[in-house]
Amino acid sequence: MSEILLRVENIVKEFPGVKVLKGVSFELKKGEVLALVGENGAGKSTLMKILSGAYTKDSGKIYFEGEEVEINSPKKAQHLGISIIHQELNLCPHLSVAANIFLGREFSNKTILDEKRQNEEAKKILDLLGMDINPTEKVRNLTVSKQQMVEIAKAISANAKLLIMDEPTSSLSEKEIDELFRVIRDLKNKGTSIIYISHRLEELKKIVDTVAVMRDGEMVATFQYKDVTLDEIIRLMVGRKLEEKYPRITVERGEKILEVRNLTRKNVLKDISFELYKGEILGIAGLVGSGRTELARAIFGADRVDYGEILLHGRKVKINSPADAIESGIVYIPEDRKFSGLALGLSVISNIMMASVDKVCNPLGVINRARELEIGNKTVKDLRIKTPSLWQKVKNLSGGNQQKVIIGRWLVKQPRIFIFDEPTRGIDVGTKIEIYNILNRLKQKGIGIIVISSELPEILGVSDRILVMCEGRLKAELEAGKTNQEEIMYYATLYDEGRRIANA
Amino acid sequence: MHNAATKTKGLKSLVPRDAVQFLSTLSGLIILSAFFGLTSEKFLTVNNLLTVALQTAIIAIIAIGQTYVIITTGIDLSIGSNIAISGILASLLMINGYPILVAVTVGLLAGLIVGIINGLLVVYGDLPPFIVTLGTMSIVRGIGLVITGGIPISNLPEEFAYLGNGELLGIPVPVIIMAFLALVFGFILARTKLGRYTYAVGSNFEAARLSGINIPKTVVSIYAISGFLAACAGLILTARIVSGQPTAGMGYELDAVAASVIGGASLMGGEGTIVGTVVGAFVIGVLRNGLNLLNVSAFWQQIAIGVVIIGAVFFDRRKRKK
């Protein structure tokens, strides 16, 4: 138990303009489960990418099983026995479980694949891990949690001594999480070491030996989990008080601007009704899969609904497409800005103007360049978007600046209702505050704002009122000043059948 | 040292990548022309260069339309068949005594309609462009063969032949038409709403939809443009050979893809320009003409063009990775 498996010394990693890791050191014993916690942008994933060979370090040393190693490719990491399981799983959905487990290491006699042997070997590994999965089943027919198990089995079959798991529970149900934890404990008893990255601090206590806290590219503390309280961990992660992190202004709540009545979509949204007022930030909390994003997309007309009414200023409006919603003054910033928000290969100006080309066109559709540049420059200046020019491709900007480009796109439209889905996901701490300030500015202007977030401190920090969703239903309406994370969590896990997180 | 490196990088980022791309295609064309100029006395004569332009005009015209489609991550395989059908319909009308203007209008409309059908099937049928246009390629070619019974339509009026063989101020008419179309559609792509939407849809379909862009209208317009330009090329080709051939234009769609890609369009969408495409078409034209002058057989020319296509994209990707 006490033998050291991995020692990391003084790792430094710099990207153009940012020092992401400023000399990080830590140790991991055999059979130890270490939780790596920290805010987005603290450097956790960069560190893990270095350990798994996706990035190379600028300086520092890595010792694995007592020897200094250079991990310069994912293949090298795998060879050493380091496997990483990403949040987005890397499986071939059309292949069988066994084929996935042994991908690249197939059993064959001479040239022909030996499927029978492969299935048997897969079964052995799955049994060993206590996983009830049929090796001949196609991966796409499995639930997300089962797919994750397949990933773990794959790593173990490749003889992994160190397993890195990045937010493994973010899309799992309570029962599935218990199952995963059982497997993790099992692996630990067999001597596998695990680095476990999670934002869900409450769940750590079920599996973790050690906690390592990162902040702004530094390892600020490591300690035995039993010696520390949650509050202390949060304090170390944040490094400052909550009030400073979430600049807040008070604006008198104006008239009712939006009313949603009985919004329903089979199996996704169940009879949702709520109101939004001018100059108010309405937070929507809930776990992944609770229907938060689906609710936003339904209001925005991006997905169809089966039933329900939307009223703007007391008048019923028909919203069948995003174009309708935008026309009515409702805009939406999606959670996955790279996939559904930005045209990454196009310029900053193209992205800013994407929804407002009409504004700078003559009736023949010819764009007035000067007018367009004027709007572009103003937006870049107002939002302090850091870009060398308006012609820069958006994919070359940092996450925070990309997010500002989308915000800018909608500001040009002068909307009345602004829906933000995960407004600060993957954005560094400094830019986060800038985005909160933008929210405040919008609030002052009397715009109705909806913020969806899976980060509870963020929801608590920015919202005036909070709605909590679970399984497509609104479970509670809370006043931000009079509630806390525990209460939100309670409602967010208030499943219909009475399943609940034990410690909420 | 470090400072200098960041400085040049900063400078580079100020120049639009499209411009870098265009300059490298253009310098490729110049080097190629210089090579043929040195190896063949005839190449760099006004007469020969006009011939090159004439031979390139048809590919350039259809490649403009193909570029629009490629920017949206699509492909138009029906261009060759469209060339044939527009020529056939116009020829039929002319030999039956209809005025040339009517014949030309009907020919252009035919191409436009095929393009619109392609667009509608892509948008509302939710089908891959490759499949849709592979289907219409076969259907339209078949219709042309049925109408003509597989026999070319000849005896077209002299005035119509002017469209393909005439000259204006010493410049072949097809070249003038090409230049005009390139200017118009280059302007539309670079400076209008439709052009902007073309790039947006191709770069990120979902982002475009969530920005409220009218996707059906945009996509149908783009395929309509490609169909229309194919018809323009079809009429010019018919005029040049002074007959409506049911087998005309076979395989031309792939020349159009080649010209677009050499000119910097990306099949992954979101990238491509009309100037680039026209230069790309000229690369192919110059290569064919130059190799002819050097008495290289048509068989070897095919090989050379294949090498150029792969080479152009290869070097482009390498540059991009840096």
Side-chain angles (χ1 to χ4, degrees):
Chain A
M1 176 72 200
S2 60
E3 203 180 328
I4 302 282
L5 176 74
L6 171 78
R7 197 164 88 233
V8 166
E9 273 180 12
N10 240 330
I11 297 244
V12 174
K13 177 75 184 173
E14 222 177 313
F15 290 119
V18 221
K19 208 167 188 181
V20 189
L21 297 177
K22 306 168 183 166
V24 173
S25 307
F26 74 98
E27 279 181 354
L28 184 66
K29 297 189 190 103
K30 278 194 180 151
E32 178 177 338
V33 179
L34 174 123
L36 186 61
V37 300
E39 291 193 299
N40 290 334
K44 293 171 306 200
S45 22
T46 308
L47 181 60
M48 292 308 111
K49 279 180 178 161
I50 287 172
L51 288 179
S52 58
Y55 291 163
T56 48
K57 56 185 166 39
D58 294 342
S59 66
K61 286 182 175 150
I62 299 173
Y63 297 90
F64 196 75
E65 298 188 297
E67 276 174 48
E68 189 178 346
V69 290
E70 272 308 319
I71 306 173
N72 41 26
S73 70
K75 198 157 184 131
K76 181 71 191 285
Q78 209 180 36
H79 183 73
L80 288 169
I82 301 176
S83 282
I84 185 161
I85 296 174
H86 294 279
Q87 229 171 324
E88 308 89 28
L89 302 176
N90 288 314
L91 296 168
C92 304
H94 298 88
L95 299 184
S96 73
V97 168
N100 268 287
I101 291 176
F102 294 108
L103 198 64
R105 300 172 287 121
E106 286 77 5
F107 290 98
S108 61
N109 35 32
K110 301 224 173 84
T111 50
I112 300 162
L113 271 185
D114 188 348
E115 295 229 25
K116 193 162 160 259
R117 167 107 190 277
Q118 190 159 285
N119 289 337
E120 284 165 9
E121 293 293 328
K123 183 97 180 78
K124 263 188 228 163
I125 292 166
L126 291 167
D127 285 347
L128 191 73
L129 294 169
M131 297 174 184
D132 179 26
I133 298 172
N134 179 355
T136 58
E137 185 71 56
K138 287 214 167 113
V139 160
R140 66 167 164 194
N141 298 335
L142 301 178
T143 60
V144 176
S145 67
K146 290 269 198 272
Q147 293 184 6
Q148 208 167 39
M149 299 291 174
V150 174
E151 283 259 29
I152 295 174
K154 185 177 166 182
I156 297 306
S157 79
N159 207 10
K161 293 164 193 157
L162 167 59
L163 202 55
I164 301 169
M165 303 174 106
D166 191 359
E167 293 264 7
T169 59
S170 61
S171 47
L172 300 189
S173 74
E174 200 51 33
K175 209 175 132 220
E176 292 168 333
I177 292 175
D178 284 342
E179 178 79 8
L180 175 72
F181 286 177
R182 189 190 55 70
V183 172
I184 290 177
R185 276 191 290 263
D186 230 38
L187 289 172
K188 171 184 157 73
N189 291 336
K190 293 190 175 105
T192 312
S193 306
I194 290 163
I195 297 179
Y196 186 93
I197 300 178
S198 180
H199 285 300
R200 298 193 181 180
L201 300 177
E202 297 80 13
E203 73 187 20
L204 298 182
K205 74 170 174 201
K206 297 185 185 168
I207 43 166
V208 158
D209 301 308
T210 321
V211 180
V213 185
M214 285 188 78
R215 186 177 74 225
D216 297 335
E218 281 171 284
M219 194 65 88
V220 286
T222 45
F223 25 56
Q224 294 295 301
Y225 185 83
K226 56 182 185 338
D227 299 338
V228 70
T229 64
L230 265 187
D231 284 348
E232 254 172 287
I233 296 178
I234 293 172
R235 195 180 51 75
L236 283 163
M237 276 169 57
V238 177
R240 58 193 125 174
K241 289 207 179 94
L242 206 63
E243 292 84 52
E244 299 159 12
K245 251 193 93 186
Y246 300 101
R248 187 186 257 290
I249 56 160
T250 7
V251 171
E252 198 166 330
R253 179 166 117 169
E255 62 194 78
K256 183 161 48 174
I257 179 166
L258 171 77
E259 195 176 340
V260 171
R261 282 190 197 153
N262 313 105
L263 209 59
T264 302
R265 184 177 153 207
K266 205 174 170 222
N267 295 331
V268 180
L269 298 174
K270 294 163 190 162
D271 197 25
I272 292 182
S273 302
F274 68 91
E275 293 157 0
L276 176 71
Y277 296 85
K278 278 184 137 184
E280 161 184 71
I281 298 182
L282 176 66
I284 299 183
L287 300 177
V288 172
S290 62
R292 316 168 301 194
T293 295
E294 290 76 5
L295 173 59
R297 289 177 60 94
I299 297 171
F300 187 59
D303 297 334
R304 303 211 76 81
V305 291
D306 299 322
Y307 180 75
E309 290 176 350
I310 292 172
L311 289 86
L312 280 177
H313 293 294
R315 210 173 300 148
K316 241 175 93 170
V317 285
K318 261 201 127 33
I319 294 176
N320 290 322
S321 69
D324 290 348
I326 295 164
E327 187 66 27
S328 315
I330 303 174
V331 302
Y332 169 63
I333 293 191
E335 56 180 335
D336 49 349
R337 60 179 162 268
K338 285 187 179 160
F339 296 107
S340 48
L342 291 163
L344 287 173
L346 300 186
S347 63
V348 171
I349 183 80
S350 289
N351 274 284
I352 288 176
M353 296 305 296
M354 197 179 266
S356 329
V357 182
D358 280 322
K359 249 188 169 165
V360 294
C361 272
N362 71 11
L364 283 175
V366 177
I367 296 168
N368 179 339
R369 267 282 168 83
R371 179 94 187 80
E372 181 182 53
L373 291 181
E374 192 185 311
I375 294 176
N377 279 320
K378 185 171 177 302
T379 306
V380 165
K381 205 172 131 225
D382 282 355
L383 298 179
R384 295 202 282 150
I385 299 173
K386 286 192 202 103
T387 173
S389 82
L390 285 174
W391 311 111
Q392 177 71 278
K393 292 201 171 169
V394 165
K395 68 175 158 209
N396 297 328
L397 302 188
S398 72
N401 284 302
Q402 291 181 342
Q403 186 73 321
K404 287 184 188 173
V405 168
I406 309 188
I407 296 176
R409 174 192 299 164
W410 291 131
L411 287 182
V412 176
K413 277 306 253 195
Q414 299 181 315
R416 290 183 286 176
I417 295 165
F418 224 125
I419 308 174
F420 288 86
D421 198 349
E422 301 285 359
T424 63
R425 180 179 279 177
I427 288 173
D428 64 90
V429 183
T431 314
K432 269 188 182 182
I433 295 172
E434 280 189 63
I435 290 191
Y436 299 139
N437 282 326
I438 294 170
L439 287 178
N440 284 335
R441 262 163 55 196
L442 295 172
K443 186 167 153 181
Q444 259 170 333
K445 279 193 202 161
I447 291 169
I449 300 165
I450 297 176
V451 171
I452 296 170
S453 175
S454 30
E455 287 177 48
L456 293 182
E458 178 170 277
I459 283 279
L460 284 163
V462 303
S463 314
D464 297 309
R465 223 161 26 107
I466 297 168
L467 302 177
V468 190
M469 289 186 73
C470 175
E471 290 190 319
R473 237 181 249 290
L474 277 187
K475 293 287 178 180
E477 180 185 325
L478 308 167
E479 214 172 304
K482 294 178 185 157
T483 184
N484 52 37
Q485 295 199 27
E486 285 70 27
E487 193 183 11
I488 295 176
M489 232 21 218
Y490 170 84
Y491 288 110
T493 53
L494 195 59
Y495 295 102
D496 287 349
E497 299 96 297
R499 289 185 276 141
R500 287 216 300 108
I501 271 188
N503 63 338
Chain B
M1 189 65 195
H2 180 77
N3 242 339
T6 47
K7 233 180 208 167
T8 48
K9 202 181 158 207
L11 256 178
K12 227 182 201 168
S13 62
L14 289 178
V15 184
R17 218 199 68 83
D18 286 345
V20 176
Q21 162 79 50
F22 171 67
L23 289 175
S24 70
T25 315
L26 188 65
S27 50
L29 178 63
I30 291 168
I31 292 168
L32 203 59
S33 305
F35 171 75
F36 287 126
L38 288 172
T39 50
S40 162
E41 284 174 9
K42 285 186 207 152
F43 182 80
L44 281 180
T45 58
V46 174
N47 244 338
N48 186 59
L49 291 180
L50 285 177
T51 309
V52 171
L54 179 62
Q55 287 166 343
T56 306
I58 286 173
I59 296 177
I61 290 170
I62 54 176
I64 292 167
Q66 188 71 280
T67 301
Y68 272 81
V69 176
I70 285 177
I71 290 172
T72 64
T73 69
I75 192 161
D76 187 350
L77 297 176
S78 67
I79 288 175
S81 304
N82 229 342
I83 286 178
I85 197 78
S86 57
I88 289 167
L89 289 176
S91 303
L92 268 180
L93 288 171
M94 282 184 282
I95 60 162
N96 284 305
Y98 286 90
I100 293 176
L101 199 64
V102 173
V104 167
T105 309
V106 170
L108 292 176
L109 274 179
L112 196 66
I113 289 166
V114 174
I116 289 172
I117 291 171
N118 281 335
L120 291 174
L121 284 170
V122 168
V123 171
Y124 293 106
D126 198 17
L127 294 167
F130 189 97
I131 301 300
V132 168
T133 58
L134 184 67
T136 51
M137 170 176 96
S138 186
I139 293 168
V140 172
R141 178 71 66 193
I143 292 173
L145 288 164
V146 168
I147 292 176
T148 57
I151 301 158
I153 304 162
S154 41
N155 292 327
L156 303 182
E158 283 282 308
E159 297 87 343
F160 179 67
Y162 179 79
L163 199 60
N165 302 309
E167 283 184 2
L168 201 71
L169 303 171
I171 302 169
V173 171
V175 177
I176 294 171
I177 297 176
M178 172 200 75
F180 173 74
L181 292 172
L183 281 176
V184 170
F185 287 96
F187 181 82
I188 291 176
L189 187 59
R191 301 295 288 273
T192 69
K193 190 164 85 174
L194 176 62
R196 193 58 72 75
Y197 287 178
T198 304
Y199 285 111
V201 168
S203 180
N204 188 338
F205 182 88
E206 185 65 3
R209 190 175 81 94
L210 294 184
S211 295
I213 290 175
N214 187 333
I215 306 257
K217 197 171 142 191
T218 307
V219 172
V220 172
S221 305
I222 284 158
Y223 283 89
I225 287 175
S226 182
F228 172 78
L229 289 170
C232 291
L235 293 173
I236 294 171
L237 185 65
T238 307
R240 280 201 69 195
I241 53 183
V242 210
S243 78
Q245 301 268 3
T247 53
M250 265 188 179
Y252 277 35
E253 55 278 342
L254 299 181
D255 278 347
V257 174
S260 303
V261 167
I262 292 171
S266 161
L267 291 169
M268 310 296 288
E271 285 183 42
T273 59
I274 299 305
V275 263
T277 294
V278 171
V279 172
F282 269 90
V283 167
I284 298 176
V286 164
L287 203 60
R288 282 196 182 136
N289 176 275
L291 293 174
N292 267 336
L293 292 178
L294 295 180
N295 286 324
V296 176
S297 81
F299 306 154
W300 279 102
Q301 289 181 25
Q302 296 243 18
I303 296 173
I305 289 169
V307 170
V308 167
I309 293 171
I310 294 174
V313 177
F314 176 78
F315 285 112
D316 184 39
R317 292 217 147 205
R318 290 269 297 243
K319 252 187 322 202
R320 224 171 280 205
K321 279 209 178 119
K322 286 176 195 165

